[in-house]
Amino acid sequence: MSSDDSMAARVARLRQRIDAACERAGRAPGSVALLPVSKTFGAEAVRAAAALGLRRFGENKTQEIRQKAVELADLDIQWVMIGHLQTNKAKDAARDAAEVQSLDRLELAHALQRRLEAAGRAIDVLVQVKTSPEPSKHGLAPQDAAGFLRTLARECPALRVQGLMTMAVQSDDAGAVRACFRRLRELRDRLRDEAIDGVRLDRLSMGMSGDFEIAVEEGATEVRIGSAIFGARHYA
Ligand SMILES: *Cc1c(COP(=O)(O)O)cnc(C)c1O
């Protein structure tokens, strides 16, 4: 392993590992996007990552997006909401987020739709699906996804569905982690067969610092990476 611990070196090593996982799975290297997750890290860390050419950043709190968006207004950054979003924060997300990956219920969809419609704007969304048994994980039950997508297509034109997102079970058992990612891909394949008008399912956002290689082998089109780029998180 290289001893260069700069952010540039960490990102380069991540891309190598993503490409290697692509090759193992017979996928084209470069076919998986890297979404840096900057939650808890300050604007300066995002600025350093932006200097490496990264432009989309995952965050889990609307207040934190707002703060960083103000400090980094000179950069062309797209903020991606990946954390649980309270309905009363839909207004802030509709203003500041370019994309929401944690869409998991109709109440939230309707709140976002109202705000976006008022602003004359539309955003990309991924629907978060719960593929692990842990009560702490958010997301729609897989069996509810088809109905949810049909309702979105009918009632929420400002939400452009692009695919699905999940978090795998937190476990040392690689087989259990893999099963979560596989569950999402198989669900996507079944939903695709239903060909719901206006709903695209090209994207699968799955895999984090500890499990992204398994996610790529199971079909992830983007991995959400925080600590492996920015270092350990310290919560106040
Ligand atoms: C924090 C977070 C990540 C990144 O986690 P790391 O283990 O630091 O890579 C990815 N996805 C979601 C939804 C998160 O909340």
Side-chain angles (χ1 to χ4, degrees), residues 35 37 39 41 59-60 82-84 128 165-167 207-210 223-229 231 233 235:
L35 178 67
V37 175
K39 67 186 185 199
F41 295 95
E59 290 280 348
N60 66 347
I82 61 169
H84 182 65
Q128 182 171 0
M165 180 272 235
T166 201
M167 287 175 90
M208 322 197 321
S209 293
V223 293
R224 309 178 305 267
I225 308 287
S227 44
I229 294 177
R233 275 186 297 276
Y235 291 96

Side-chain angles (χ1 to χ4, degrees), residues 127 140 144-154 161 163-164 191 196-197 199-201:
V127 171
L140 222 68
D144 296 337
F148 184 72
L149 291 175
R150 276 192 218 97
T151 307
L152 283 185
R154 257 194 334 265
V161 178
L164 306 178
L191 292 169
I196 303 165
D197 247 0
V199 167
R200 302 185 60 124
L201 293 168

Side-chain angles (χ1 to χ4, degrees), residues 63-212:
Q63 309 92 292
E64 213 175 314
I65 292 180
R66 172 95 303 224
Q67 270 180 4
K68 289 176 201 174
V70 169
E71 286 188 59
L72 300 169
D74 57 311
L75 300 176
D76 184 22
I77 288 179
Q78 298 198 307
W79 302 103
V80 178
M81 187 68 194
I82 61 169
H84 182 65
L85 182 53
Q86 292 173 294
T87 306
N88 64 6
K89 300 281 167 58
K91 180 182 184 209
D92 302 314
R95 181 188 54 203
D96 292 330
E99 174 177 317
V100 172
Q101 295 199 351
S102 44
L103 184 65
D104 61 354
R105 58 199 193 281
L106 270 183
E107 183 197 32
L108 175 62
H110 285 137
L112 287 168
Q113 168 64 31
R114 271 195 308 279
R115 299 293 182 176
L116 289 163
E117 200 177 295
R121 214 159 77 81
I123 61 171
D124 288 345
V125 297
L126 303 185
V127 171
Q128 182 171 0
V129 176
K130 185 166 156 59
T131 57
S132 93
E134 295 150 300
S136 61
K137 296 275 197 310
H138 294 280
L140 222 68
Q143 64 269 24
D144 296 337
F148 184 72
L149 291 175
R150 276 192 218 97
T151 307
L152 283 185
R154 257 194 334 265
E155 300 178 1
C156 302
L159 304 179
R160 297 179 303 229
V161 178
Q162 304 293 316
L164 306 178
M165 180 272 235
T166 201
M167 287 175 90
V169 65
Q170 194 173 344
S171 167
D172 293 333
D173 177 357
V177 171
R178 186 179 296 277
C180 293
F181 295 141
R182 187 166 293 175
R183 211 165 280 140
L184 193 74
R185 174 171 45 88
E186 290 176 351
L187 173 65
R188 190 275 308 271
D189 293 346
R190 285 196 303 276
L191 292 169
R192 251 190 187 159
D193 289 342
E194 304 206 9
I196 303 165
D197 247 0
V199 167
R200 302 185 60 124
L201 293 168
D202 301 326
R203 291 172 51 192
L204 290 178
S205 172
M206 54 188 198
M208 322 197 321
S209 293
D211 58 17
F212 70 88

